[in-house]
Amino acid sequence: MRAIVESGLPVKAVISNVAGAQGLGFAREQGIATEVVEHRAFPSREAFDAELASAIDRYQPGIVALAGFMRILTDAFVHGYAGRMINIHPSLLPAYPGLHTHRRALEDGVKVHGCTVHLVTPRLDHGPIVAQAAVPVLPGDTEDMLAARVLRQEHRIYPDALRWFAEDRLVIADGIVRISDQGDGQGVRQTVFSDQ
Ligand code: NHR
């Protein structure tokens, strides 16, 4: 979230389900509106999602960007933001959807890991892929070391992907995302690779 704000993208509001979340303090310092909708205060996912949607809709955002948001969203909520809700996930999807991605990658001995920006669909971590960055898994890596290496790339590709979205350059056909090239309108399929 901080990388998105620092990239200069116009962030209308930062909304968290955790009252003490660090990002809220950062957003307030930047003069960005903040809201807290605590999932614990609601009897069901549906009730939480309804309140979350009304908090979001007060700002009429063009894009809803999940950044470290850890609650699975109901189908109804996802449908309300179809095609304009985006997430960054810490793995090279479709490998390792869900939780504890770095631990699972280390357990499997994969040599390449990374992160994926994708559109949010009802099926968890399975939406159309907008951008990915790869990092090496190095001998002696711990979960924290690998997570930090991936996080540096997350901070790079998420602002890029959101800017393409804001510039209306994402073209989605049959679940495949193309980044249209402003020049000739042909479009290029962009994949961002790590430089280390
Ligand atoms: N909701 C939908 N419908 N689709 C997606 O693709 C979503 C989503 C909600 C969040 C982010 C995702 C990630 O990038 C995300 C994508 C939380 C969980 C989870 O299991 C899984 C994936 C993601 C986020 N959450 C538990 C739950 O019961 C709680 C886990 C916890 O609090 O630590 O909601 O990683």
Side-chain angles (χ1 to χ4, degrees):
M1 185 277 288
R2 187 172 179 144
I4 292 163
V5 170
E6 289 177 346
S7 79
L9 283 160
V11 176
K12 289 189 167 178
V14 170
I15 303 175
S16 179
N17 63 311
V18 180
Q22 271 191 32
L24 292 168
F26 169 76
R28 277 188 216 106
E29 283 167 25
Q30 301 294 309
I32 297 168
T34 62
E35 306 263 355
V36 174
V37 182
E38 283 186 292
H39 64 276
R40 288 173 196 284
F42 294 87
S44 65
R45 289 188 189 262
E46 286 74 15
F48 166 65
D49 281 7
E51 186 59 32
L52 184 60
S54 65
I56 292 169
D57 293 345
R58 285 199 281 279
Y59 297 92
Q60 300 191 280
I63 305 174
V64 176
L66 307 184
F69 183 75
M70 292 309 294
R71 302 299 303 174
I72 295 171
L73 296 160
T74 58
D75 290 9
F77 180 94
V78 172
H79 283 128
Y81 301 98
R84 58 192 182 99
M85 182 155 57
I86 198 163
N87 179 45
I88 188 156
H89 178 77
S91 77
L92 290 173
L93 292 172
Y96 309 117
L99 303 176
H100 311 301
T101 56
H102 308 305
R103 186 189 312 167
R104 289 155 62 201
L106 286 172
E107 282 168 1
D108 285 347
V110 299
K111 307 307 179 207
V112 180
H113 186 47
C115 52
T116 302
V117 177
H118 67 94
L119 292 167
V120 176
T121 61
R123 192 166 165 212
L124 197 66
D125 297 329
H126 275 78
I129 292 171
V130 178
Q132 294 186 302
V135 304
V137 180
L138 299 175
D141 264 355
T142 62
E143 207 175 320
D144 286 351
M145 289 160 69
L146 184 55
R149 194 174 305 122
V150 172
L151 190 61
R152 279 196 293 277
Q153 299 305 315
E154 294 183 48
H155 293 162
R156 191 160 72 100
I157 70 170
Y158 206 9
D160 276 357
L162 289 167
R163 188 170 38 75
W164 296 332
F165 197 126
E167 292 169 352
D168 206 21
R169 289 171 62 193
L170 299 189
V171 183
I172 304 154
D174 296 330
I176 304 294
V177 180
R178 192 162 62 71
I179 317 300
S180 81
D181 179 15
Q182 282 158 323
D184 59 15
Q186 284 293 310
V188 284
R189 184 85 196 275
Q190 300 220 19
T191 298
V192 184
F193 283 100
S194 156
D195 54 8
Q196 50 157 346

